[in-house]
Amino acid sequence: MNGHVSADLLGVKTIEQQSKRRAMRFTLNGALWSLQALFGFFFAGSGFGKVLLYDGALYAAAPRAVAWYAAVPQPLIVFIGVCEVLGGVGLILPAMTKVRPMLTPLAAVGLTLTMILAAGFHVTRNEYALVPANLLLGGVSAFIAAGRWKLRPVAPAPITTSRALTSFAVLVALALLAFVPTWYTMTNVQF
């Protein structure tokens, strides 16, 4: 029987229809993974910069680079940074290792909430130029949450040596590509 023949009278899908459906799922899954990696690294790096503000000297100099830091207490900035680092790591690792993959959409929901609150904060300070970035980051986080919650969830699986090594490699990549440059910039560049 030819694979390009349309569905028969019993409603059986053809090979062509099945492959189109698989291609669409692959595209959505690929888009979700790309966004998870990109935004996971972004949030982890951005959050790490805020965590570094636990240092009093860095916190004192920070408002020269980012004006809204002057309006927020130091412990709150550090807390926001910790939430962003954990959210960024949460976008990647649970889904990648398949250990508690339901944490990935929860991390995305947390980041979405953080960005909504940030947008509200900037609106109250009349910093309208910062709101579109918050809405974009929150929107992408919401898309990841919806995608990994309902559209393309990751099935849980037991931890294996290869998954553990992959997780370790991702954490090393985060350290080298996000944390070290952020730390170097914040400790060696004068604002």
Side-chain angles (χ1 to χ4, degrees):
M1 180 171 168
N2 188 348
H4 296 288
V5 176
S6 61
D8 65 14
L9 297 175
L10 298 175
V12 176
K13 293 182 179 177
T14 64
I15 294 171
E16 183 177 309
Q17 290 170 330
Q18 290 172 352
S19 65
K20 281 183 182 179
R21 185 171 168 94
R22 281 189 198 118
M24 188 165 54
R25 261 191 265 152
F26 176 75
T27 302
L28 178 59
N29 192 43
L32 285 169
W33 273 115
S34 298
L35 291 172
Q36 283 173 247
L38 180 67
F39 283 78
F41 273 78
F42 172 80
F43 277 113
S46 173
F48 187 68
K50 292 175 183 80
V51 170
L52 289 176
L53 295 179
Y54 74 89
D55 180 359
L58 288 175
Y59 177 72
R64 288 192 297 258
V66 180
W68 67 264
Y69 284 170
V72 179
Q74 182 181 17
L76 181 57
I77 293 175
V78 173
F79 175 73
I80 292 167
V82 168
C83 292
E84 287 182 357
V85 168
L86 293 175
V89 171
L91 288 180
I92 302 169
L93 283 186
M96 180 181 287
T97 61
K98 297 184 179 185
V99 175
R100 306 251 190 250
M102 202 56 172
L103 292 175
T104 294
L106 291 176
V109 167
L111 291 170
T112 302
L113 179 60
T114 302
M115 291 299 106
I116 290 169
L117 293 171
F121 171 77
H122 291 307
V123 166
T124 62
R125 289 180 38 89
N126 296 323
E127 298 172 335
Y128 299 110
L130 299 174
V131 173
N134 294 134
L135 295 178
L136 174 70
L137 293 167
V140 171
S141 296
F143 176 74
I144 292 170
R148 287 300 177 207
W149 203 295
K150 291 286 183 189
L151 301 174
R152 294 291 289 154
V154 176
I159 188 73
T160 62
T161 303
S162 67
R163 287 192 186 120
L165 290 174
T166 302
S167 298
F168 182 71
V170 168
L171 290 174
V172 168
L174 269 172
L176 293 175
L177 299 174
F179 299 160
V180 170
T182 301
W183 169 80
Y184 180 80
T185 301
M186 290 190 67
T187 57
N188 292 309
V189 174
Q190 298 298 321
F191 295 106

